[in-house]
Amino acid sequence: MPAATADAPFDFPTIHKSQLGNGLAVWSVQHGDLPVATMVLLVRAGSSTDPAGRPGLASLTGDMLDEGAGDRGALEVHDALARIGAQFDTEVGSDATFLTLTTLTKFRQHGLALLADMVARPRFDAGEFERVRHLRANRLRQLRDVPSATADRAFATAVYGDHPYGHLAIGTMAALEHMTLDDVRDFHRRAYQPANAVLIVVGDLSHDQARVEAAASFATWAAEPSAGLVAAPGIDATGHAAHRLLLVDRPGAAQSELRIGHVAVSRRTPDYHALVVANLVLGGQFVSRLNMNLREHKGYTYGARSWFEFRLGPGPFQMSASVQTEVTAQAIFEAVGEMVSLRGARPITASELETARATLTKGYPRNFETADQIARSVAQLALYELPDEYFATFVPRIAALQLGTVQDAATRNLHPERLVTVIVGDADRVDPSLGVLDLGPAFRIAAP
Amino acid sequence: MEMRCERRVLDNGLSVLVHEDHGCPLVAVNLWYHVGSKNEQPGRTGLAHLFEHLMFEGSAHHDSSYFQPLQAAGAVLNGSTNADRTNYWEVVPTGAVELALWLESDRMGYLLPALTDAKFTNQRDVVLNERRQNYENRPYGRATMAMLAALYPPAHPYHWLTIGSADDLRATTLDEVKAFFARHYHPGNASLAIAGAIEPARAFALAEQYFGEIPAGPSRQVVTPPSFSPGSSRLVLEDRVELPRLYLAWHGPRMFAPGDAEVDLVADLLGNGKTSRLYKTLVYQRRVATEVAAFQQSRELAGFFQIVATAAPGHTLDELEAVIVEEVARLADEWPTPEELARVTAQAEAQFVYRLQTVGGFGGKSDQLNAYNIFLGDPAFFERDLARYLAVTPAEVAAATAQYLQSAGRVSVSVVPAGRLSLALADSEPAVVH
């Protein structure tokens, strides 16, 4: 087998920055030969800033932005997007909202104008609001039947309790029923402020062009200093779990959907790079221990994986798999066993470290192939306030990690004694087998 | 706008396509075998896809996980099987091109000596779990099975889904798997695309170096579907769902055949995005549905057109069907407006540009070159492919709508909450899904 040789050097994207008079940061990256541009507008407000009693409000607000804006009604906004061949999505995450629009270079200014209308001048029409609310209610109804969505929602609540990280962006039916257009207007006023946002433009353009084009569309977005910005509450990093083992009944299900994890660390942890590497050994890719054991050796599942979700506040560590009903208890036993032994009986080996580091370092340029990839990566720097040279220093930082550092980070940040296990499956068939896990009786909950 | 490509054919019949792009220090290796679930026999459905899994379990000169050396070199990789073809790809940093080609060549030439019963049994269990996860335990997951089974007669190779039936997967033997490899996995039934930061001369030399020694195989199996007269059927499936959903399907043109681009645009006009006619009527104005989609599925032997709509609470699938029939008739009778057609062709044109952004992976340039080469024998078809869409006129859209979506052979599948059969289209019969 031919060994891999040295790779060609790569120049990471250079980010240019300026600020408009209203406080909006404008970042740009010159990229590529294709006539394609991607714009991301990052707003520092997500589901973690949902007010108490209003889970889902950030997401509902995000949903309303393209339902009429500026001079255009709801259908007219989408007609305009279609006419420039735009790929457009609004993603409401835990800590931020991202509006991403890709279009052809010749339509770039038009795309920016549409984005500006949506964030600065949404119409928030009452009729459209009622329609969107009904669609969301139906979506929530349908999600009850999707095992993976049920497991995600139950897990978040089980480990975070009442903290906003305890619900997914879509929120809950109970809250949705009481949400009003005034709630949306108020959230928009307190979150969608130019100084609380960053506009990122990637394409075939200089920063001067980016600044001029951004100003043409966004300069009239007025700051409203009196509104008071939304903020996420603090969090107890040890979690709130009242139960260790939860079971959502899905009679007759062919598989059990599993989520096993606990509250872990924030994006700001000094262990970040070491934990990314450690997770690649445990469950971050195909050859990781979890997948090799549960899929390639046991055949219990189509795939098993694990991840740390690094957020502004302490995000979760999770292991996940959908496993054949008959082997539910064994699969949990094996997954927890892999996590426990990584901290003790089978520590990370030099060869595993080498594979994980190479995956990250040699594969890194792949994340900068398209304008969309670059814009989304740059948005992460903006959200987590990482330095401009972050991309260029990532590879040397990973390459410099020693085995002891990675092992130590894994041992300190993985907590078997805090694990919460959520099972969505056929309770009558699964429950009797769970005794071997020594987690006490399973606590049965309804699908959220 | 074009996708440049050089092609050479090795003495053993392997097509080699090379596309140079130094935008990122990456090389995409993409290998298609012209075999899919259409090459299976009734009773052994699912074999082509199960076989794809075994391609990742090691070969004679590297008898362990295919993923390990590649992920350790910073590569990403995957494979997929559909009715017509099986593809395998790696996207590697420039220093690992030879590693990827060596591994692909070893499993093309020397898979069987390393194939054991233990690997076979393990991957059959994995595939059965893939089937449970993506079909059996997923809301509406069995609808497409019922739909295809009704559209095509049992002897037609599109009668079954690529995942296959669980009983067939359990009945498959290791000897059948080995025979499948011998029949379909050889250079003359394959196309290798190499795209990215590599000079063409070197790419061709490496292809010759690693694949040139593999012997040519038997001639390609040509699948001739049985002729049949399309019949109409109305089926119902009970499922663990909150809202009933209607699947309507018609026979459509084959991939790249006359009418194929036209019905693709019909799908966009009817069901792609909030400005489409069905979304506007069903979801936005009358609010009888929560979502709607339309698409043309172009396949090598035949195509089919689908409209899928989910009823809002309190509304029946009969109501949805009536609106759909009405909108289809309106498009056939009144033609799309020039502005409407300009909108969907602008979207199509932009999509073609976006398709030039990545060298590898599903849908990347290397994958597209192989698609054009395998199905048309013309890897440089990209530009003419786009031209098909730009040339479509309002009259052609209307004619294609009438020809395909007002034809007699229509299949409907109503998926309703368990115990609520009355929500199905009137006169529907229970579907039997294996």
Side-chain angles (χ1 to χ4, degrees):
Chain A
M1 195 184 335
T5 57
D7 299 319
F10 180 64
D11 292 326
F12 289 96
T14 307
I15 305 166
H16 299 279
K17 298 180 174 179
S18 54
Q19 199 171 39
L20 302 186
N22 59 7
L24 176 67
V26 177
W27 297 11
S28 78
V29 174
Q30 181 136 26
H31 169 74
D33 306 325
L34 288 173
V36 175
T38 296
M39 284 80 83
V40 173
L41 190 102
L42 159 76
V43 178
R44 297 177 199 283
S47 58
S48 66
T49 49
D50 283 339
R54 295 283 183 277
L57 181 56
S59 167
L60 181 60
T61 305
D63 254 11
M64 284 301 297
L65 300 177
D66 60 351
E67 299 289 348
D71 297 335
R72 296 181 179 88
L75 293 180
E76 289 162 339
V77 166
H78 284 273
D79 188 62
L81 287 167
R83 282 180 191 287
I84 62 170
Q87 292 179 327
F88 171 73
D89 68 77
T90 305
E91 182 199 343
V92 179
S94 299
D95 299 318
T97 297
F98 306 85
L99 283 82
T100 304
L101 193 157
T102 295
T103 187
L104 300 177
T105 300
K106 60 183 174 184
F107 299 130
R108 191 174 61 216
Q109 182 70 69
H110 198 140
L112 282 166
L114 283 166
L115 265 185
D117 276 348
M118 288 190 272
V119 299
R121 292 173 285 278
R123 287 188 174 182
F124 294 144
D125 174 86
E128 307 293 3
F129 176 73
E130 278 314 306
R131 187 176 51 79
V132 166
R133 209 156 67 106
H134 276 116
L135 288 175
R136 285 173 75 85
N138 288 327
R139 182 75 198 129
L140 280 162
R141 277 189 193 101
Q142 286 183 295
L143 284 180
R144 286 185 197 139
D145 296 316
V146 180
S148 56
T150 300
D152 287 339
R153 300 178 76 196
F155 177 81
T157 306
V159 297
Y160 285 105
D162 290 337
H163 185 273
Y165 281 174
H167 65 261
L168 303 194
I170 192 162
T172 63
M173 189 73 92
L176 182 65
E177 278 164 6
H178 296 105
M179 241 131 34
T180 66
L181 194 51
D182 280 341
D183 291 327
V184 170
R185 285 203 186 95
D186 184 59
F187 188 87
H188 178 262
R189 211 163 47 87
R190 296 175 57 220
Y192 288 72
Q193 294 250 358
N196 199 36
V198 180
L199 174 68
I200 296 150
V201 185
V202 179
D204 185 12
L205 81 173
S206 68
H207 186 65
D208 278 348
Q209 274 174 288
R211 198 163 35 85
V212 168
E213 291 181 15
S217 297
F218 284 91
T220 55
W221 184 9
E224 221 183 310
S226 63
L229 286 179
V230 290
I235 196 166
D236 171 5
T238 56
H240 299 262
H243 300 278
R244 301 283 310 281
L245 183 58
L246 296 97
L247 182 52
V248 182
D249 191 15
R250 187 171 159 83
Q255 284 187 327
S256 296
E257 188 79 42
L258 306 179
R259 298 291 181 274
I260 310 169
H262 57 67
V263 177
V265 288
S266 84
R267 181 62 181 80
R268 296 199 173 97
T269 174
D271 292 327
Y272 175 79
H273 292 83
L275 287 177
V276 170
V277 171
N279 184 60
L280 276 174
V281 175
L282 177 60
Q285 62 179 344
F286 190 93
V287 298
S288 304
R289 291 182 180 187
L290 275 175
N291 191 61
M292 293 308 280
N293 181 348
L294 269 70
R295 170 181 156 133
E296 294 293 284
H297 296 147
K298 306 280 193 324
Y300 289 166
T301 176
Y302 182 41
R305 66 193 187 103
S306 68
W307 69 98
F308 285 91
E309 200 175 319
F310 299 98
R311 301 177 180 171
L312 286 176
F317 162 78
Q318 286 185 72
M319 301 186 281
S320 110
S322 184
V323 304
Q324 195 175 344
T325 299
E326 291 80 353
V327 297
T328 302
Q330 292 98 306
I332 296 167
F333 184 82
E334 292 293 333
V336 173
E338 289 294 351
M339 175 183 164
V340 168
S341 68
L342 188 88
R343 299 171 79 253
R346 280 198 303 131
I348 297 168
T349 68
S351 127
E352 284 177 317
L353 176 73
E354 197 44 52
T355 292
R357 283 197 308 207
T359 293
L360 291 167
T361 59
K362 289 171 168 292
Y364 200 53
R366 203 177 50 241
N367 301 307
F368 303 93
E369 193 181 11
T370 70
D372 178 88
Q373 288 174 320
I374 293 170
R376 289 177 196 265
S377 297
V378 170
Q380 296 297 308
L381 301 198
L383 173 56
Y384 298 112
E385 297 172 332
L386 298 168
D388 288 5
E389 63 277 12
Y390 179 81
F391 300 134
T393 57
F394 181 83
V395 167
R397 285 190 74 162
I398 294 288
L401 285 171
Q402 300 298 309
L403 188 54
T405 312
V406 174
Q407 180 64 56
D408 178 57
T411 306
R412 279 185 293 105
N413 290 289
L414 293 172
H415 302 286
E417 75 286 357
R418 285 192 213 153
L419 284 178
V420 173
T421 297
V422 171
I423 306 167
V424 180
D426 187 332
D428 287 346
R429 289 169 71 202
V430 167
D431 208 351
S433 67
L434 297 175
V436 296
L437 299 175
D438 206 19
L439 290 170
F443 184 70
R444 294 207 189 186
I445 57 172
Chain B
M1 189 166 49
E2 57 175 349
M3 199 186 293
R4 284 167 294 101
C5 170
E6 287 181 53
R7 173 171 62 177
R8 290 185 199 165
V9 179
L10 305 189
D11 289 345
N12 57 16
L14 179 68
S15 285
V16 182
L17 316 173
V18 178
H19 171 84
E20 191 175 8
D21 173 354
H22 291 270
C24 227
L26 303 172
V27 179
V29 171
N30 186 294
L31 187 53
W32 278 41
Y33 292 91
H34 198 169
V35 58
S37 55
K38 76 172 188 310
N39 299 85
E40 296 163 353
Q41 294 301 314
R44 289 297 180 271
T45 63
L47 176 54
H49 168 251
L50 172 58
F51 184 84
E52 177 222 314
H53 275 242
L54 295 169
M55 287 282 276
F56 290 92
E57 299 300 311
S59 47
H61 306 98
H62 170 69
D63 191 3
S64 61
S65 169
Y66 191 85
F67 280 84
Q68 176 59 43
L70 285 161
Q71 292 196 318
V76 284
L77 60 153
N78 211 333
S80 73
T81 310
N82 68 25
D84 298 321
R85 60 93 185 118
T86 309
N87 68 354
Y88 301 88
W89 58 262
E90 295 82 27
V91 178
V92 298
T94 52
V97 178
E98 292 197 45
L99 173 67
L101 291 170
W102 186 92
L103 282 160
E104 283 291 6
S105 73
D106 204 52
R107 63 180 176 181
M108 180 190 285
Y110 312 97
L111 184 83
L112 293 189
L115 187 52
T116 63
D117 206 45
K119 290 178 185 177
F120 170 65
T121 307
N122 166 255
Q123 287 304 309
R124 191 186 53 205
D125 288 347
V126 170
V127 168
L128 286 168
N129 273 312
E130 179 179 356
R131 193 180 195 280
R132 291 182 187 106
Q133 185 171 334
N134 289 342
Y135 300 92
E136 298 164 35
N137 201 32
R138 172 170 294 187
Y140 311 103
R142 295 169 300 143
T144 306
M145 293 183 195
M147 201 248 324
L148 287 175
L151 266 181
Y152 300 105
H156 194 289
Y158 292 162
H159 180 75
W160 54 89
L161 222 55
T162 298
I163 193 73
S165 93
D167 287 346
D168 289 358
L169 287 164
R170 289 195 183 90
T172 302
T173 68
L174 184 57
D175 282 344
E176 290 167 340
V177 167
K178 289 178 174 175
F180 189 85
F181 176 79
R183 183 70 190 84
H184 300 293
Y185 277 73
H186 52 81
N189 202 30
S191 181
L192 170 68
I194 302 172
I198 186 167
E199 297 71 38
R202 176 164 179 252
F204 284 119
L206 291 175
E208 176 63 41
Q209 179 185 341
Y210 290 108
F211 291 87
E213 70 178 48
I214 300 172
S219 59
R220 185 166 82 80
Q221 180 189 46
V222 177
V223 177
T224 312
S227 60
F228 64 98
S229 10
S232 284
S233 44
R234 289 172 166 244
L235 301 170
V236 57
L237 272 175
E238 293 177 81
D239 200 354
R240 189 199 312 266
V241 295
E242 295 274 343
L243 301 176
R245 182 180 285 176
L246 177 63
Y247 291 74
L248 294 177
W250 297 261
H251 291 279
R254 277 184 298 116
M255 188 190 287
F256 301 120
D260 176 40
E262 287 85 337
V263 291
D264 224 359
L265 294 180
V266 169
D268 286 345
L269 288 162
L270 285 177
N272 181 9
K274 292 183 177 173
T275 43
S276 65
R277 289 182 172 209
L278 287 173
Y279 188 92
K280 242 191 283 192
T281 316
L282 286 169
V283 185
Y284 189 84
Q285 288 163 351
R286 302 195 197 177
R287 306 187 184 184
V288 295
T290 63
E291 57 195 341
V292 61
F295 47 91
Q296 150 77 353
Q297 182 87 37
S298 306
R299 291 181 171 183
E300 195 175 7
L301 305 176
F304 58 90
F305 189 98
Q306 259 197 99
I307 295 175
V308 183
T310 308
H315 295 278
T316 68
L317 296 182
D318 282 315
E319 277 177 87
L320 270 55
E321 187 208 23
V323 176
I324 292 168
V325 168
E326 200 177 293
E327 286 294 340
V328 165
R330 202 161 66 84
L331 188 61
D333 298 343
E334 298 174 17
W335 300 15
T337 65
E339 294 75 31
E340 241 184 326
L341 189 58
R343 187 189 77 226
V344 293
T345 47
Q347 286 177 293
E349 188 170 13
Q351 292 301 327
F352 269 80
V353 179
Y354 303 150
R355 280 165 50 177
L356 295 168
Q357 294 185 102
T358 52
V359 295
F362 295 123
K365 288 191 279 190
S366 48
D367 213 31
Q368 297 173 56
L369 291 170
N370 269 335
Y372 290 134
N373 190 46
I374 286 278
F375 295 129
L376 292 170
D378 183 0
F381 191 72
F382 179 84
E383 214 172 357
R384 273 168 288 149
D385 194 1
L386 172 59
R388 293 192 303 152
Y389 290 87
L390 301 184
V392 173
T393 65
E396 288 169 335
V397 165
T401 306
Q403 181 181 350
Y404 294 104
L405 305 193
Q406 295 184 313
S407 63
R410 194 196 76 174
V411 170
S412 71
V413 180
S414 303
V415 181
V416 300
R420 308 283 304 279
L421 285 168
S422 63
L423 293 173
L425 283 197
D427 305 322
S428 294
E429 291 173 15
V432 181
V433 175
H434 298 285

